[in-house]
Amino acid sequence: TAKSEGRNRYHFYAEDMAARARERMRIEQGLRRAIAADALAVHYQPRVELAGGRIAGVEALVRWPHPERGMILPGSFIAIAEESGIIEALGRWVLRRACREMLRLQTPLRLAVNVSARQFLAVDFVDHVAATLAETGFLADMLELEITESTLQATERSLGVIEDLGRLGVAVSIDDFGTGYSSLAVLRDLPIRRIKVDRSFIVDLAQSEQQRAVVEAVVALSRALRMSITVEGIERDEQAAILKQLGCDEGQGFLFARPMPFDELSRRIADGQWRGLPGKMPS
Ligand code: C2E
Ligand code: MG
Ligand code: MG
Ligand code: MG
């Protein structure tokens, strides 16, 4: 009957909710333990110059090597870390680990680290960045912090943080650009080093006249505002070729390299990859 069906549905719904709450708790507890035990990991993805294929820097991306579940990607735990407040400890851990590891490279490379809104806007954030640089010896002007447009919604506050970071020598870039709501006024007034154009803007680049027009406009915008531009999620030769032709300086994506552990990055750099050898890149 309709009544028992309704009851069943309610029953399933409640069970589903309970299961999700339990899963959340497991992730929170597991994350807290993993941070305390130094058991998270950082993978690195190169950012490369579209003309020449030379490596321009790397982005640090957190990973959670889980004993039973394998390597867990941030998509499964960053939101939970943000909602529970764990993100502050997690973010500090990633910054320290990435600075330490990157100092072990033979040749210094620029490092980009993702920072959530809650972490970025916390009162002690800039002090903590300064302390981490002092502790690890990583150079401030080799560090870039990636925030999203949602962080910029707190305009006054984020302007203050960006300026304080700037005084330290640390640059700020806007990640996933185009997926949020940053006003042109905010972009114009904030000292942003770089915009990273979200992958969704280039998935159909070769087929779509419209995507091409939008990317062209963003390139023009970045020039007018004197910001660097990096396009994310480049997977195919033709995307790289078109982006280069549209005047885009740099890209990141599986075409050039997937995110990888530090030792692999270090080995591949030593082997001369992304050195900008001719013939390695689409022209
Ligand atoms: P993001 O900062 O935009 O990082 C780029 C994401 O795109 C990474 O996913 C990367 O593996 C993926 N990617 C790179 N190239 C390609 C490509 O060619 N095709 C496709 N399909 N994907 C590509 P990942 O590592 O799973 O990270 C997802 C998001 O999690 C990041 O997006 C970032 O927002 C967040 N995140 C990662 N690490 C941290 C961290 O330490 N702190 C904070 N707060 N957030 C982080
Ligand atoms: Mg990023
Ligand atoms: Mg992004
Ligand atoms: Mg993102």
Side-chain angles (χ1 to χ4, degrees):
T1 67
K3 208 171 170 185
S4 66
E5 244 175 55
R7 197 156 49 224
N8 269 333
R9 218 174 284 145
Y10 171 75
H11 195 72
F12 283 131
Y13 180 69
E15 260 180 19
D16 193 48
M17 290 280 288
R20 265 191 285 172
R22 275 196 304 274
E23 167 69 2
R24 249 187 128 69
M25 281 298 293
R26 264 201 297 271
I27 290 179
E28 280 188 34
Q29 286 169 355
L31 261 184
R32 284 207 175 85
R33 250 181 272 130
I35 294 167
D38 238 15
L40 293 179
V42 178
H43 283 189
Y44 300 88
Q45 185 179 36
R47 173 163 65 77
V48 305
E49 294 171 5
L50 290 177
R54 202 190 313 262
I55 191 167
V58 296
E59 175 174 8
L61 296 157
V62 68
R63 299 290 183 261
W64 180 7
H66 193 281
E68 285 120 45
R69 302 186 186 184
M71 195 63 90
I72 309 182
L73 294 174
S76 309
F77 60 86
I78 288 291
I80 293 174
E82 284 171 344
E83 285 153 25
S84 60
I86 297 173
I87 195 69
E88 291 189 44
L90 187 152
R92 285 201 275 264
W93 187 92
V94 171
L95 181 64
R96 183 178 304 116
R97 168 60 62 94
C99 286
R100 281 211 185 121
E101 286 189 321
M102 290 298 286
L103 276 172
R104 289 167 42 208
L105 283 180
Q106 302 288 333
T107 31
L109 212 51
R110 290 188 65 83
L111 167 69
V113 177
N114 293 284
V115 179
S116 290
R118 184 161 172 171
Q119 188 193 352
F120 193 80
L121 301 173
V123 284
D124 59 351
F125 178 67
V126 178
D127 288 344
H128 183 264
V129 172
T132 305
L133 293 171
E135 176 205 322
T136 60
F138 195 84
L139 291 179
D141 59 6
M142 297 296 272
L143 180 64
E144 194 166 307
L145 301 175
E146 298 190 1
I147 61 174
T148 60
E149 290 166 277
S150 61
T151 307
L152 294 177
Q153 298 294 97
T155 309
E156 289 292 305
R157 177 94 190 93
S158 52
L159 173 60
V161 178
I162 294 169
E163 284 175 342
D164 288 347
L165 288 168
R167 276 188 280 274
L168 280 182
V170 174
V172 172
S173 55
I174 304 184
D175 203 355
D176 305 338
F177 182 79
T179 62
Y181 305 88
S182 31
S183 76
L184 289 175
V186 166
L187 276 185
R188 180 198 60 204
D189 295 341
L190 293 186
I192 300 286
R193 168 75 56 90
R194 171 193 318 280
I195 55 184
K196 298 189 75 177
V197 178
D198 193 68
R199 159 175 187 272
S200 57
F201 287 86
I202 61 147
V203 280
D204 296 320
L205 200 58
Q207 292 77 38
S208 163
E209 199 57 50
Q210 220 172 6
Q211 286 217 330
R212 208 178 299 218
V214 170
V215 170
E216 226 171 338
V218 177
V219 169
L221 179 70
S222 71
R223 288 242 170 86
L225 297 174
R226 297 195 168 69
M227 298 172 186
S228 302
I229 182 168
T230 301
V231 173
E232 299 187 284
I234 303 175
E235 296 180 351
R236 297 184 300 276
D237 283 338
E238 79 261 19
Q239 289 171 315
I242 295 169
L243 287 167
K244 197 176 131 188
Q245 185 200 325
L246 294 179
C248 184
D249 327 316
E250 291 176 351
Q252 209 178 311
F254 296 166
L255 174 67
F256 311 112
R258 289 181 177 261
M260 66 196 90
F262 177 79
D263 289 341
E264 184 182 339
L265 175 78
S266 169
R267 177 163 30 84
R268 289 172 70 177
I269 289 174
D271 284 352
Q273 283 201 35
W274 315 293
R275 201 190 268 156
L277 300 177
K280 282 214 152 180
M281 282 289 306
S283 49

Short mmCIF file of all heavy atoms in Angstrom, two decimals, residues 59 146 175-176 196 198 232, ligand 3:
data_model
loop_
_atom_site.label_atom_id
_atom_site.label_comp_id
_atom_site.label_asym_id
_atom_site.label_seq_id
_atom_site.Cartn_x
_atom_site.Cartn_y
_atom_site.Cartn_z
N GLU A 59 52.30 22.41 -8.47
CA GLU A 59 51.21 22.60 -7.50
C GLU A 59 51.19 21.40 -6.56
O GLU A 59 51.27 20.25 -7.01
CB GLU A 59 49.86 22.71 -8.23
CG GLU A 59 48.69 22.78 -7.24
CD GLU A 59 47.34 23.02 -7.89
OE1 GLU A 59 47.25 23.00 -9.14
OE2 GLU A 59 46.37 23.23 -7.14
N GLU A 146 47.04 29.40 -3.67
CA GLU A 146 45.86 29.39 -4.54
C GLU A 146 44.60 29.47 -3.72
O GLU A 146 44.34 28.61 -2.87
CB GLU A 146 45.85 28.10 -5.39
CG GLU A 146 47.05 27.98 -6.30
CD GLU A 146 46.93 26.83 -7.31
OE1 GLU A 146 45.90 26.14 -7.32
OE2 GLU A 146 47.89 26.65 -8.07
N ASP A 175 42.26 30.28 -8.14
CA ASP A 175 42.09 28.94 -8.68
C ASP A 175 40.69 28.77 -9.26
O ASP A 175 39.77 29.50 -8.87
CB ASP A 175 42.29 27.95 -7.52
CG ASP A 175 42.69 26.57 -7.99
OD1 ASP A 175 42.72 26.33 -9.21
OD2 ASP A 175 42.96 25.74 -7.12
N ASP A 176 40.53 27.83 -10.16
CA ASP A 176 39.21 27.50 -10.73
C ASP A 176 38.52 28.75 -11.26
O ASP A 176 37.30 28.89 -11.16
CB ASP A 176 38.30 26.84 -9.68
CG ASP A 176 38.94 25.62 -9.04
OD1 ASP A 176 39.85 25.05 -9.66
OD2 ASP A 176 38.53 25.24 -7.93
N LYS A 196 44.08 31.02 -12.60
CA LYS A 196 44.12 29.66 -13.12
C LYS A 196 42.73 29.33 -13.66
O LYS A 196 41.76 29.24 -12.90
CB LYS A 196 44.52 28.67 -12.02
CG LYS A 196 45.93 28.96 -11.49
CD LYS A 196 46.42 27.88 -10.57
CE LYS A 196 46.83 26.64 -11.35
NZ LYS A 196 47.38 25.61 -10.44
N ASP A 198 39.67 27.47 -15.00
CA ASP A 198 39.14 26.14 -14.72
C ASP A 198 39.07 25.29 -15.98
O ASP A 198 38.79 25.77 -17.08
CB ASP A 198 37.75 26.25 -14.09
CG ASP A 198 37.30 24.94 -13.51
OD1 ASP A 198 37.89 24.50 -12.51
OD2 ASP A 198 36.38 24.31 -14.09
N GLU A 232 44.08 25.10 -16.60
CA GLU A 232 44.12 23.80 -15.94
C GLU A 232 43.43 22.72 -16.77
O GLU A 232 42.53 23.00 -17.55
CB GLU A 232 43.33 23.86 -14.63
CG GLU A 232 43.83 24.84 -13.62
CD GLU A 232 43.07 24.67 -12.30
OE1 GLU A 232 41.92 25.11 -12.20
OE2 GLU A 232 43.66 24.08 -11.40
MG MG B 3 41.69 24.44 -10.07
#
